[in-house]
C-alpha cells in the first residue's frame, strides 16, 4: 500500500483533490455496526465525475509542496538575468509559507483526527488507527507488532527537528560546557534565519537571542 506525507493526507481528507492521489468520496452516509464500517453504496455506480477530481486546467492551483513552490517562485523572479538569488527574500518567503502551513495543520487537526504510535513515529490520519502489524519499536513482540495509537500533535505530523541556534557563524564552534546558554529552533526556522529572514517573535525566547554567551575562558567563573 503506497504512503503519502501526513500533511498531504490530512489535506486530502479535509477536501483537497489531487490527480496524483485519486480519492473516493462517499456520496451516502455510512454506519458503524459493532466497530465495523458498513456502507450501502454500490461501488460500480461511482464514476470519475462523482469523485470530483480537479480538471487539467486547475492542476497548477494545487501543489502538495508549498515550500518548493515558494522557492521556485522566488528563484525565477529574483535576478534571473544575472543568475543571482536574493537569499533574504527567499528565506523570508519560505519562513512565511512554512508558518502558514503549520497554522493550517493546527486548524485542520481540530476537525480531523490524527493518530501516532507511542513507540514508533508511525502516523495515521483518520477516525482511528489501522491494525497493520508493522511496529518495529522496542518490545513490539509483546504487542504482536500492533501500534499503540494515541492522539498526535503538530510535531508528530510535521517534525520540527530542533537544532542549536548559532548566533554568529564566524565564531568558534559551540562549546559543550556552555550549552545551557545556547538556544534551539526548528531546522526550517534556523535555516531561514541564516539566510537573512528576521527571527519570528514566537521563537525569540526559544532561540535565547537575549542571552549573552560567555567566552570559553570564562567557564570557570560562572556560578
Amino acid at each position: 500500500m503506497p504512503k503519502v506525507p501526513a500533511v498531504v493526507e490530512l489535506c486530502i481528507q479535509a477536501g483537497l483533490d489531487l490527480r496524483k492521489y485519486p480519492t473516493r468520496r462517499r456520496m451516502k452516509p455510512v454506519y458503524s455496526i459493532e466497530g465495523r464500517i458498513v456502507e450501502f453504496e454500490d461501488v460500480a455506480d461511482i464514476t470519475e465525475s462523482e469523485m470530483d477530481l480537479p480538471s487539467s486546467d486547475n492542476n497548477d492551483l494545487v501543489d502538495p509542496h508549498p515550500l518548493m513552490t515558494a522557492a521556485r517562485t522566488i528563484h525565477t523572479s529574483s535576478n534571473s538575468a544575472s543568475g543571482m538569488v536574493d537569499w533574504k527574500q527567499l528565506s523570508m518567503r519560505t519562513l512565511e509559507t512554512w508558518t502558514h502551513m503549520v497554522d493550517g495543520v493546527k486548524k485542520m487537526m481540530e476537525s480531523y483526527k490524527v493518530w501516532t504510535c507511542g513507540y514508533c513515529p508511525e502516523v495515521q490520519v483518520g477516525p482511528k488507527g489501522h491494525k497493520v502489524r508493522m511496529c518495529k519499536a522496542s518490545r513490539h513482540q509483546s504487542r504482536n507488532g500492533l501500534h499503540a495509537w494515541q492522539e498526535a500533535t503538530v510535531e508528530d505530523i510535521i517534525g520540527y527537528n530542533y537544532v542549536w541556534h548559532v548566533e554568529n557563524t564566524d565564531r568558534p564552534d559551540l562549546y559543550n560546557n556552555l550549552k545551557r546558554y545556547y538556544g534551539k529552533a526548528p531546522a526550517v526556522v534556523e535555516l531561514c534565519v541564516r539566510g537573512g529572514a528576521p527571527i519570528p517573535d514566537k521563537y525569540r525566547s526559544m532561540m535565547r537571542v537575549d542571552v549573552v554567551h560567555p567566552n570559553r575562558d570564562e567557564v570557570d567563573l560562572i556560578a
Side-chain angles (χ1 to χ4, degrees):
M1 181 178 297
K3 288 188 175 182
V4 298
V7 176
V8 177
E9 177 64 23
L10 182 61
C11 294
I12 290 176
Q13 295 202 15
L16 177 65
D17 289 313
L18 297 175
R19 189 166 294 275
K20 184 178 180 181
Y21 305 110
T23 305
R24 174 189 170 187
R25 307 286 184 186
R26 291 189 175 96
M27 304 301 173
K28 299 179 181 179
V30 297
Y31 300 90
S32 177
I33 302 177
E34 296 182 354
R36 300 182 60 183
I37 301 298
V38 179
E39 55 183 339
F40 301 94
E41 187 175 6
D42 191 1
V43 179
D45 294 339
I46 298 179
T47 61
E48 184 177 350
S49 60
E50 292 177 334
M51 293 176 64
D52 195 20
L53 290 176
S55 60
S56 58
D57 299 335
N58 297 330
N59 285 343
D60 296 336
L61 300 178
V62 186
D63 195 328
H65 306 287
L67 297 182
M68 296 302 297
T69 303
R72 288 195 298 266
T73 303
I74 295 296
H75 179 71
T76 55
S77 61
S78 60
N79 299 329
S80 58
S82 59
M84 300 293 293
V85 180
D86 191 343
W87 294 111
K88 183 175 181 179
Q89 291 295 328
L90 175 61
S91 301
M92 294 174 60
R93 177 67 181 274
T94 303
L95 184 58
E96 179 183 358
T97 306
W98 183 80
T99 305
H100 184 68
M101 180 191 67
V102 173
D103 294 339
V105 170
K106 291 180 180 179
K107 190 67 176 179
M108 286 187 292
M109 289 181 65
E110 297 177 359
S111 301
Y112 297 90
K113 289 291 186 179
V114 182
W115 306 91
T116 184
C117 180
Y119 296 95
C120 71
E122 179 78 9
V123 176
Q124 172 69 14
V125 181
K128 60 182 180 179
H130 61 75
K131 296 183 179 180
V132 181
R133 303 176 186 272
M134 54 184 302
C135 183
K136 302 298 181 182
S138 177
R139 299 181 180 180
H140 66 88
Q141 296 87 352
S142 60
R143 293 174 282 107
N144 201 13
L146 286 175
H147 292 288
W149 296 112
Q150 60 187 22
E151 190 171 351
T153 62
V154 178
E155 296 188 11
D156 297 322
I157 299 180
I158 299 178
Y160 286 149
N161 295 326
Y162 290 95
V163 297
W164 295 104
H165 170 58
V166 180
E167 183 177 358
N168 189 356
T169 56
D170 297 331
R171 286 187 176 183
D173 296 336
L174 300 182
Y175 191 48
N176 182 62
N177 291 343
L178 297 176
K179 61 183 180 181
R180 62 176 176 172
Y181 295 96
Y182 302 140
K184 284 188 174 183
V188 176
V189 177
E190 177 68 14
L191 180 62
C192 294
V193 171
R194 292 278 190 93
I199 300 177
D201 294 337
K202 62 183 299 183
Y203 293 110
R204 294 187 66 88
S205 59
M206 183 185 303
M207 301 172 73
R208 311 195 71 177
V209 295
D210 57 340
V211 176
V212 178
H213 303 162
N215 297 325
R216 291 189 176 184
D217 54 356
E218 299 175 343
V219 176
D220 297 335
L221 303 178
I222 301 175

